Amino acid sequence: MNDCLFCKIAAGEIPSTKVYEDDAALAFRDIAPQAPVHVLVIPKKHIGGFSDIEGEDDAALAHLWRVAAAVAKSEGIAQSGFRVVSNCGKDAQQTVSHLHLHVLGGRALSGEMA
């Protein structure tokens, strides 16, 4: 999508602090972190959100979860614990219409979701 912020970040048109990158996914630090570690994991292919996932996206979705786990390990939060969150739609506070996972950790997290 031409006007998608995360597509522009994935294409390198907008700078980000990358944590992980491969042909299918990108992980980068959130610009407004809600925890000491707050990394966003996105597919490079534009998918609007969870409700837009098609059968052809199954492998990409599984890959995002593997990348989230790898990010937790590389950020040193896998042992102490971390949260993976995806906001789906405006009522859930999804502010960018591009599927993404938030990997949060680095401190004891409250019962509230980020």
Side-chain angles (χ1 to χ4, degrees):
M1 291 201 102
N2 292 337
D3 60 344
C4 175
L5 174 66
F6 287 172
C7 285
K8 290 178 181 180
I9 290 172
E13 297 171 19
I14 295 175
S16 66
T17 305
K18 295 178 186 176
V19 172
Y20 175 93
E21 183 174 21
D22 64 25
D23 290 342
L26 174 66
F28 56 94
R29 299 204 185 280
D30 194 292
I31 61 168
Q34 302 297 305
V37 174
H38 189 165
V39 175
L40 302 178
V41 180
I42 67 168
K44 287 188 174 179
K45 172 189 172 189
H46 182 83
I47 301 170
F50 268 101
S51 57
D52 299 313
I53 294 171
E54 302 288 336
E56 66 192 35
D57 300 320
D58 288 353
L61 185 58
H63 184 63
L64 286 184
W65 284 96
R66 284 190 300 275
V67 170
V71 165
K73 288 176 188 170
S74 71
E75 293 292 306
I77 59 172
Q79 292 290 70
S80 60
F82 62 99
R83 182 176 291 161
V84 179
V85 177
S86 184
N87 301 325
C88 305
K90 70 175 188 168
D91 284 352
Q93 304 302 312
Q94 181 180 4
T95 57
V96 178
S97 294
H98 185 117
L99 177 65
H100 57 286
L101 303 176
H102 297 257
V103 178
L104 300 141
R107 66 168 165 79
L109 299 171
S110 71
E112 294 184 25
M113 297 292 167

